[in-house]
């Protein structure tokens, strides 16, 4: 049942933020909402309800490392799309490897640091 | 350029675009929960900053822009990609705000509880995003 609530809450918050992004102009400003913490709000809320705030805080700390991956990802996507050579679908999916590599490196560093 | 609401954007939206975002958002939130359950919050937390719907948003943006240009008899492929690149430029700034959200949530959640912790984190996200946007335009 927890997973169903996670799905519904995550879907609703992600949809709300992306709808807001659709309504705003200029496009660069609307892009801020592509980085809205929608998944984080839904996930942290569910973690607090089903576990506790300490576990949620650990997730939030790891999220900072995930954000570094996010920044590198969208920066690379922006550079590649601005060249106009490749379609958005190819660029945005292929560049996910940048996020994945950053996340893996962060995971290793976090586990080794014993935090 | 002044920031404004453009309600006409809603008319260009198709129901399947909304459904796709809902399903992707829900799926990533479930995945983050499952990763956290199996490998712990240290690893699961990384997925809170996963670019969940960015590929779908960029693709739909390119398609919409290209379609609009084609209706006017223009070749819209390149213009569509530029529009998606502008969205990504904004998302770079938003990424820093996302890190600020995580930092404030990390510090605030155990101290002030879930409700106020998330309110403060959301406020931090908004403030950092708007400040970076302002700096980008005026400095």
């Amino acid at each position: 049942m927890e997973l169903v609530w996670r799905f519904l809450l995550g879907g609703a918050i992600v949809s709300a933020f992306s709808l807001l992004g659709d309504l705003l102009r200029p496009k660069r400003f609307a892009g801020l909402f592509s980085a809205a913490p929608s998944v984080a709000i839904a996930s942290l809320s569910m973690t607090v309800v089903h576990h506790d705030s300490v576990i949620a805080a650990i997730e939030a700390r790891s999220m900072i490392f995930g954000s570094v991956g996010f920044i590198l990802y969208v920066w690379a996507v922006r550079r590649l799309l601005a060249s106009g050579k490749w379609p958005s679908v190819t660029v945005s999916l292929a560049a996910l490897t940048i996020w994945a590599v950053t996340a893996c490196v962060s995971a290793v560093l976090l586990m080794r640091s014993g935090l | 350029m002044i920031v404004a609401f453009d309600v006409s954007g809603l008319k260009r939206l198709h129901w399947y675009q909304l459904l796709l975002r809902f399903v992707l958002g829900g799926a990533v939130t479930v995945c983050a929960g499952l990763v956290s359950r199996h490998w712990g919050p240290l690893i699961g937390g990384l997925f809170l900053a996963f670019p969940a719907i960015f590929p779908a948003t960029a693709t739909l943006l390119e398609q919409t822009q290209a379609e609009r240009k084609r209706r006017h008899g223009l070749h819209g492929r390149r213009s569509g990609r530029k529009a998606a690149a502008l969205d990504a430029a904004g998302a770079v700034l938003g990424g820093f705000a996302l890190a600020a959200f995580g930092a404030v949530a990390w510090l605030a959640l155990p101290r002030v509880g879930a409700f106020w912790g998330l309110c403060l984190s959301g406020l931090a996200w908004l403030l950092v995003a708007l400040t970076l946007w302002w700096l980008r335009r005026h400095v």
Side-chain angles (χ1 to χ4, degrees):
Chain A
M1 198 61 195
E2 184 199 334
L3 291 179
V4 175
W5 281 114
R6 261 184 191 274
F7 182 84
L8 294 175
L9 191 64
I13 298 176
V14 164
S15 300
F17 272 110
S18 63
L19 205 59
L20 199 58
D22 287 329
L23 291 172
L24 287 163
R25 293 288 176 274
K27 281 192 183 71
R28 196 191 289 264
F29 183 79
L32 290 174
F33 290 84
S34 296
S38 29
V39 172
I41 293 172
S43 291
L44 292 174
S45 305
M46 292 303 293
T47 303
V48 168
V49 169
H50 291 277
H51 303 281
D52 62 67
S53 294
V54 178
I55 304 283
I58 296 170
E59 286 185 340
R61 188 183 56 196
S62 292
M63 182 192 163
I64 302 169
F65 292 88
S67 304
V68 175
F70 184 95
I71 293 165
L72 293 173
Y73 165 77
V74 281
W75 178 80
V77 168
R78 186 190 79 87
R79 294 293 297 252
L80 291 168
L81 285 179
S83 73
K85 287 179 190 164
W86 300 284
S88 299
V89 64
T90 311
V91 170
S92 58
L93 288 176
L96 283 175
T97 50
I98 295 172
W99 184 88
V101 169
T102 314
C104 288
V105 172
S106 303
V108 171
L109 289 175
L110 280 166
M111 285 191 292
R112 278 193 183 170
S113 68
L115 288 169
Chain B
M1 193 184 280
I2 298 164
V3 173
F5 270 103
D6 177 16
V7 192
S8 68
L10 284 181
K11 290 176 194 161
R12 291 191 291 270
L13 276 177
H14 297 287
W15 65 268
Y16 63 84
Q17 295 174 333
L18 295 170
L19 184 69
L20 180 69
R21 291 171 189 180
F22 185 89
V23 171
L24 281 175
V28 172
T29 312
V30 167
C31 285
L34 289 173
V35 170
S36 213
R37 195 182 286 180
H38 289 284
W39 286 287
L42 205 67
I43 307 298
L46 292 167
F47 283 82
L48 303 193
F50 182 76
I53 57 158
F54 190 84
T57 307
T59 307
L60 293 172
L61 195 61
E62 181 186 327
Q63 284 173 354
T64 312
Q65 182 77 3
E67 213 174 275
R68 201 186 311 161
K69 290 278 176 186
R70 263 197 298 274
R71 256 186 261 129
H72 292 93
L74 300 165
H75 188 62
R77 192 187 294 168
R78 206 175 171 85
S79 162
R81 288 171 192 174
K82 296 271 181 195
L86 276 178
D87 191 67
V92 174
L93 301 179
F96 287 97
L98 201 60
F101 177 97
V104 173
W106 168 39
L107 297 169
L109 281 171
R111 290 177 175 84
V112 296
F115 179 76
W116 290 111
L118 287 175
C119 284
L120 284 173
S121 313
L123 195 65
W125 176 80
L126 193 65
L127 280 176
V128 173
L130 293 179
T131 305
L132 289 175
W133 162 255
W134 188 88
L135 287 173
R136 173 75 177 73
R137 282 189 49 78
H138 295 98
V139 178

